[in-house]
Amino acid sequence: MKVLIIGASGVLGQAVSEALGPHHELILAGRHSGDVRVDITSEESVAALFASVGRVDALVSTTGSLHFGPLAETDSARFSVGLNDKLLGQVRLALIGQHHLNDGGSITLTSGILSEEPIRNGANASTVNAALEGFVRAAAIELPRGLRINAVSPTVLAESWEVYGPFMAGFEPVPARRAALAYRRSVDGAQTGRVYRVTA
Amino acid sequence: MKVLIIGASGVLGQAVSEALGPHHELILAGRHSGDVRVDITSEESVAALFASVGRVDALVSTTGSLHFGPLAETDSARFSVGLNDKLLGQVRLALIGQHHLNDGGSITLTSGILSEEPIRNGANASTVNAALEGFVRAAAIELPRGLRINAVSPTVLAESWEVYGPFMAGFEPVPARRAALAYRRSVDGAQTGRVYRVTA
């Protein structure tokens, strides 16, 4: 299958590329690197991505920015960071991508454990991740032509523990290669509307 | 208690006002009517609302617009309707409102059954409602001074059945006065981080 990975240069994206690489033809996309460049916050950029890549069998997104900070200091401008980037950015990939997938193709987005397990400073992440899971549940029942859509919700990655660990006391990180297996299940499996939760 | 209701003139807002009215001092707010006017999509308007109302004991929101339409025809501009209005509008009320609540006060937002039970044309609603529930779970653990936050997730209202019924075959509507009881539980109870699901 031809698989387009957006966010391919990140910790998670690299692990997903390694997991899928032996089995599929990969096209790696990223904001600053990869076979093709894309800014998921831009309608034009995402449209250009699919125009240049052509039809694919699977679209995998492992990207998106969030706002982290105390709720008491959060205003709607800061809160919009996650809404415009990780949430609407990934939704945009799906909304445009649905028209560029071969029959039976799949979309796999990335949410995260904070949707269910909130932490201090994480309200934006909890909101965005829960939103993506709601989107996947709904989009799954409406996609035609056997198209599927799932989300992977990983806990904190071992490779990112140095950054997020101080905010996530007691959480048990997983190696990115374990999280990557869930993307393989989504791409190569037959389920739709699922949230694959990856925890230790 | 002094209770500020935003969206007070809507079907749900009227029922909530009737349920809370005998027990509390109400301030009714709305876009086009009420004791005070507010546009929840505007940072300035929400700031002005709280400046004019002063400190309150409870903030209840029963408002917010969504996009309904086929997924295949949805673009990110249409999808942004719900993100900017029902989602960020209510989050904005909470983010600004947290600084204008008396100790032990509460915030009650409105999500909706589509967060869990998707329908055709409802991807925006499912996303926004799930997002609000994620926000409530996260904000609840960070609010200081005994402040609480909950969401009410009603199924379709009997009073709105004529509009939404054709899209919700097999759903069982509830009268708005039943949904209003959940707001009373949130305002007068002691729970926080809860989603009160109101179904038939």
Side-chain angles (χ1 to χ4, degrees):
Chain A
M1 288 197 283
K2 202 166 152 186
V3 181
L4 172 61
I5 303 180
I6 294 122
S9 70
V11 167
L12 191 52
Q14 286 182 46
V16 171
S17 301
E18 282 168 30
L20 297 178
H23 310 282
H24 301 292
E25 175 195 346
L26 305 188
I27 304 163
L28 308 182
R31 188 148 187 172
H32 303 295
S33 64
D35 303 320
V36 275
R37 305 293 155 94
V38 64
D39 170 6
I40 64 168
T41 67
S42 158
E43 191 79 0
E44 295 68 33
S45 178
V46 172
L49 169 72
F50 285 103
S52 92
V53 163
R55 296 185 87 77
V56 297
D57 300 294
L59 158 61
V60 175
S61 165
T62 56
T63 190
S65 297
L66 294 164
H67 170 72
F68 283 95
L71 186 75
E73 294 165 21
T74 302
D75 59 15
S76 55
R78 289 190 181 93
F79 202 87
S80 295
V81 170
L83 298 190
N84 290 332
D85 199 311
K86 185 170 180 178
L87 175 52
L88 187 57
Q90 291 196 91
V91 166
R92 177 181 286 116
L93 288 172
L95 292 178
I96 298 180
Q98 65 180 325
H99 305 295
H100 298 271
L101 283 166
N102 290 321
D103 290 3
S106 70
I107 299 168
T108 308
L109 307 181
T110 300
S111 62
I113 194 172
L114 300 187
S115 65
E116 295 294 327
E117 297 288 348
I119 60 170
R120 284 188 202 92
N121 304 298
N124 187 238
S126 291
T127 306
V128 166
N129 291 340
L132 286 161
E133 296 174 9
F135 175 72
V136 159
R137 282 192 294 272
I141 65 167
E142 228 180 318
L143 285 171
R145 305 188 286 116
L147 299 179
R148 301 181 297 110
I149 184 166
N150 298 301
V152 176
S153 173
T155 188
V156 59
L157 301 179
E159 292 84 346
S160 312
W161 184 246
E162 221 171 311
V163 178
Y164 293 111
F167 304 102
M168 301 186 72
F171 283 75
E172 202 175 340
V174 299
R177 71 181 146 66
R178 269 204 61 216
L181 293 174
Y183 294 83
R184 179 110 207 270
R185 284 174 69 187
S186 176
V187 169
D188 287 83
Q191 294 184 307
T192 190
R194 274 292 313 270
V195 178
Y196 296 98
R197 301 190 192 279
V198 183
T199 54
Chain B
M1 288 197 280
K2 203 165 152 187
V3 181
L4 172 61
I5 303 179
I6 294 123
S9 70
V11 166
L12 191 53
Q14 285 181 47
V16 171
S17 301
E18 281 169 31
L20 297 177
H23 310 282
H24 300 293
E25 176 195 345
L26 305 187
I27 305 163
L28 307 183
R31 186 147 186 173
H32 303 296
S33 64
D35 303 320
V36 276
R37 306 293 156 93
V38 64
D39 170 5
I40 63 168
T41 67
S42 158
E43 190 80 0
E44 295 67 33
S45 179
V46 172
L49 169 71
F50 285 103
S52 91
V53 162
R55 296 186 87 76
V56 298
D57 299 295
L59 159 60
V60 175
S61 165
T62 56
T63 191
S65 298
L66 294 164
H67 170 71
F68 283 95
L71 186 74
E73 296 167 18
T74 301
D75 59 15
S76 55
R78 289 189 181 93
F79 202 88
S80 294
V81 171
L83 298 191
N84 290 331
D85 198 310
K86 186 170 179 179
L87 174 53
L88 187 57
Q90 291 196 92
V91 166
R92 177 181 285 117
L93 288 172
L95 292 178
I96 298 181
Q98 66 180 326
H99 305 295
H100 297 272
L101 283 165
N102 290 321
D103 290 3
S106 70
I107 299 168
T108 308
L109 306 182
T110 299
S111 63
I113 194 172
L114 301 187
S115 65
E116 295 293 326
E117 296 288 347
I119 59 170
R120 285 186 201 92
N121 304 297
N124 189 238
S126 292
T127 306
V128 166
N129 291 340
L132 286 160
E133 296 174 9
F135 175 72
V136 159
R137 282 192 294 273
I141 65 168
E142 229 180 318
L143 285 170
R145 304 188 287 116
L147 299 180
R148 299 180 298 110
I149 183 166
N150 298 300
V152 175
S153 173
T155 188
V156 60
L157 301 179
E159 292 85 346
S160 311
W161 184 246
E162 222 171 310
V163 178
Y164 293 110
F167 305 101
M168 302 186 72
F171 282 74
E172 201 174 341
V174 300
R177 72 182 144 66
R178 269 203 61 217
L181 293 173
Y183 294 84
R184 179 108 208 272
R185 283 174 69 190
S186 176
V187 169
D188 287 84
Q191 292 183 307
T192 190
R194 274 291 312 269
V195 178
Y196 296 98
R197 300 190 193 279
V198 183
T199 54

